[in-house]
Amino acid sequence: MDSSQSAAAGTGVNSGNGVMFPQANDTAAAATTAVAEEAKQNLNQVINSIQKTLGLIHQLNLTVSTFNAASQLPLLHRLNSLVSELDNMVKLSEKCNIQVPMEVLNLIDDGKNPDEFTKDVINSCIAKNQITKGKTDAFKGLRKHLLEELEMTFPDEVESYREIRAASAAEFKRQAQAQAQSMMPNGDVKVKNEV
């Protein structure tokens, strides 16, 4: 049992009779970690198969470029090895669930760097973020302007609105602090043991 498993096994909720029940968050986190590790292992197997296939193709290239009658048997052996490895690669790839955007494949087909796709997506996100920030700032300005106008027309109502708003903000802050105090560093919520 490694340290992450022993840490996960040691956490749980005491039922009061000495039996520990694992918390749902720990179980879900352990399952997610196991799935991620399995996916990583499957991906590494596919990568190794691709590298082996490239090596076999290189050997085939050398055999074909220096072909003579005596090299026919090694050529057939290498062709069979290549077919076998390609079959193995297909079987391994069925275990991997990797989705590559078509735009990336199109960039590769066009002979461009696929990192351009990432750069374009990030630039698009930045532009959308700036637009959203502009809208947010505009609404804040509108709210401020409306409050100023309302205060000149209805000063008593605006004062009571501000008091209600301040009380609501204080209550929200108190609840957020209480929740933060009951949170553990990993995001789980502390559970009080009832005796």
Side-chain angles (χ1 to χ4, degrees):
M1 183 181 293
D2 67 2
S3 62
S4 65
Q5 289 173 333
S6 62
T11 59
V13 178
N14 189 343
S15 66
N17 60 3
V19 177
M20 295 290 288
F21 293 103
Q23 288 181 303
N25 289 346
D26 292 339
T27 306
T32 302
T33 303
V35 169
E37 286 297 321
E38 183 180 346
K40 188 176 182 180
Q41 183 180 9
N42 290 339
L43 182 61
N44 285 335
Q45 289 175 344
V46 171
I47 290 170
N48 290 337
S49 179
I50 290 170
Q51 290 174 344
K52 187 174 180 182
T53 302
L54 290 173
L56 289 170
I57 290 172
H58 179 68
Q59 290 175 355
L60 269 172
N61 182 31
L62 294 175
T63 305
V64 169
S65 64
T66 60
F67 183 77
N68 58 31
S71 63
Q72 184 173 0
L73 192 58
L75 176 64
L76 290 175
H77 175 69
R78 288 184 176 146
L79 280 172
N80 286 334
S81 296
L82 178 63
V83 170
S84 173
E85 190 57 39
L86 287 172
D87 185 47
N88 183 38
M89 186 189 315
V90 168
K91 288 177 184 173
L92 290 173
S93 68
E94 289 172 356
K95 296 178 185 177
C96 292
N97 185 16
I98 298 175
Q99 298 177 356
V100 179
M102 283 303 296
E103 293 88 353
V104 173
L105 298 176
N106 291 336
L107 283 172
I108 293 170
D109 286 343
D110 293 341
K112 296 179 182 174
N113 188 345
D115 289 339
E116 289 182 26
F117 174 76
T118 305
K119 184 178 89 176
D120 292 343
V121 168
I122 289 173
N123 287 338
S124 173
C125 287
I126 290 170
K128 288 179 182 177
N129 187 25
Q130 289 173 344
I131 291 170
T132 304
K133 185 181 181 320
K135 289 178 182 179
T136 304
D137 291 345
F139 277 114
K140 284 180 182 177
L142 175 64
R143 180 180 178 276
K144 181 181 174 187
H145 178 71
L146 285 175
L147 273 175
E148 289 171 356
E149 292 292 322
L150 285 170
E151 191 168 25
M152 286 190 282
T153 310
F154 306 107
D156 296 335
E157 286 81 0
V158 170
E159 184 62 33
S160 65
Y161 165 77
R162 286 192 172 144
E163 289 172 3
I164 293 170
R165 179 100 172 148
S168 174
E171 176 65 20
F172 178 76
K173 185 177 180 182
R174 187 191 63 75
Q175 288 176 353
Q177 286 176 344
Q179 185 179 10
Q181 289 175 352
S182 67
M183 296 286 279
M184 298 170 89
N186 66 355
D188 289 344
V189 177
K190 292 180 186 174
V191 178
K192 294 181 181 176
N193 292 336
E194 295 188 25
V195 181

